[in-house]
Amino acid sequence: MKNILTAPFVEEMKKTTANMYRLGWDERNGGNISYMLEEDEVAEYLDLNNVLRTIPTGFDATALSGKIFIVTGTGKYFKNVQDDPENNLGIIRIAKDGTTAELLWGYADGGRFTSELPAHLMSHMARLTVDPSNRVVMHSHPTNTLAMNYVHELDEKSFTHTLWEMCTECIVVFPDGIGVLPWMLCGTNEIGMATAEKMKEFRLVVWGMHGIYGVGKNLDEAFGLIETVEKAAQIYMLTAHLPRVNTIKDSEMVELAEFFGVKYRKDFLNL
Ligand code: 2HA
Ligand code: ZN
């Protein structure tokens, strides 16, 4: 059996969390990632019959029974994943009952998965119904995106529209727009269900005055979505207090979306 610490999915998690930490998006224990793995790739590194512990999840994820995820640990710092993956990450399999996680590796100091597991697994279930290739759910606290939450109305259409105006490529990168939830108590099944509901429609969901969720078929894609929103939010925060002299017009956004052949939220434009 190969050494799990050399597995590409562990390497990718290390690189991604380190990157996000250095961008200032994931202070202290902020942020969490879950990444669905293929059974065959995990079997190269771990004995899938060797369950180290079982941990109740507190909600039903029967649709994901048998699925394996690498997940950041609760209370763990993105800052520390790179140097100590075995304490800060875990690999879990959702048991047949749908409400138990079987630990296959990691959380070595007795820890457990992120407190946001409901939002993650419920979002995986929701995304898989609209995009069977989805594998990653990523949550983060990007600075400018969060800042914008305090000075911009938290309305899906206007929030998306403002960000589309900030960078030419925004409408091409997230033509489906951004779902927005009001401030809600985090770590609960309720915010998980609300997030998953939005995920049927959006690949990006803002948690009002908390952070953002992004999804994708791999870590790069989820990261790239959040990165693009954060860049646009930065331009907004750098310019919102200054007189606006120029802007990308809605007709130009239509040109972009049509040229790049993306299906965009026409109802989020003012045509
Ligand atoms: O895991 O970001 O939302 C820490 C958080 C909670
Ligand atoms: Zn958070």
Side-chain angles (χ1 to χ4, degrees), residues 1 39 42-43 45-54 68 93 96 102-104:
M1 200 138 318
E39 198 176 284
V42 184
Y45 302 92
L46 297 176
D47 174 2
L48 299 182
N49 295 315
N50 185 24
V51 175
L52 305 175
R53 293 187 261 147
T54 57
I68 300 173
R93 179 174 54 208
K96 277 202 189 67
E102 300 170 330
L103 182 66
L104 300 174

Side-chain angles (χ1 to χ4, degrees), residues 30-32 116 139-141 207 210:
N32 27 73
E116 304 296 0
H139 167 62
S140 182
H141 304 160
W207 277 8
H210 178 141

Side-chain angles (χ1 to χ4, degrees), residues 47 88-89 112 269:
D47 174 2
N88 293 289
L89 301 174
R112 52 186 281 151
L269 291 176

Side-chain angles (χ1 to χ4, degrees), residues 146-205:
L146 203 39
M148 188 174 162
N149 275 224
Y150 292 87
V151 297
H152 193 285
E153 55 182 321
L154 289 175
D155 165 80
E156 283 163 357
K157 175 178 173 172
S158 80
F159 199 85
T160 299
H161 188 270
T162 297
L163 291 175
W164 280 352
E165 282 180 322
M166 293 300 126
C167 302
T168 289
E169 298 200 339
C170 276
I171 193 167
V172 180
V173 175
F174 53 95
D176 40 349
I178 302 174
V180 178
L181 290 178
W183 185 92
M184 289 177 76
L185 184 62
C186 54
T188 63
N189 288 350
E190 287 67 31
I191 201 169
M193 288 186 274
T195 309
E197 198 50 42
K198 293 289 180 198
M199 286 289 180
K200 292 178 185 163
E201 202 180 334
F202 301 102
R203 292 172 300 151
L204 286 158
V205 178

